[in-house]
Amino acid sequence: MDVILEAKENIEPDLKTFTENRVKFSLKRLFWMVRKIKVKYSAVRESKTACNQNCSIELHTFDNRQIEVSFTARDKRIALDMGLKKIYKHVQKAFHKSQKYGRISKNIYV
């Protein structure tokens, strides 16, 4: 699984390691199904609420599915956690659907 991190401003090294570790930890049961995951941080300008950090997650699976989720929260870490929860549910749903129709075997090892 390749984790690609993008941001418009400079990324702190501890945020980069936190993001990579968090992505790998949250998808540890279904990591074999994920080919590439791209995490992009940005700030929302002119936000009327306190939620001004945006995190968009784009995921490519081995059966050529593309899943994209975007969340806005007060902190980058909270936005990442909320996005990863939603991504995990979508990957799990895609896995069950593809297993139901026989597109992915139960015994795939990467």
Side-chain angles (χ1 to χ4, degrees), residues 38-101:
K38 186 188 295 185
V39 180
K40 185 175 182 181
Y41 292 116
S42 62
V44 178
R45 294 183 184 219
E46 299 178 13
S47 176
K48 293 183 180 180
T49 62
C51 299
N52 61 353
Q53 298 295 323
N54 190 19
C55 176
S56 68
I57 303 171
E58 184 179 327
L59 179 105
H60 296 279
T61 61
F62 277 106
D63 61 343
N64 295 326
R65 291 180 188 251
Q66 182 178 354
I67 301 169
E68 190 171 340
V69 174
S70 179
F71 273 95
T72 304
R74 290 183 178 181
D75 189 14
K76 292 178 184 178
R77 295 174 187 228
I78 296 170
L80 177 69
D81 284 339
M82 290 175 19
L84 287 174
K85 285 179 187 177
K86 191 62 112 171
I87 282 284
Y88 187 80
K89 287 182 182 180
H90 284 294
V91 170
Q92 204 171 28
K93 188 186 297 184
F95 172 66
H96 289 304
K97 189 180 283 188
S98 61
Q99 225 179 16
K100 180 180 178 182
Y101 296 114

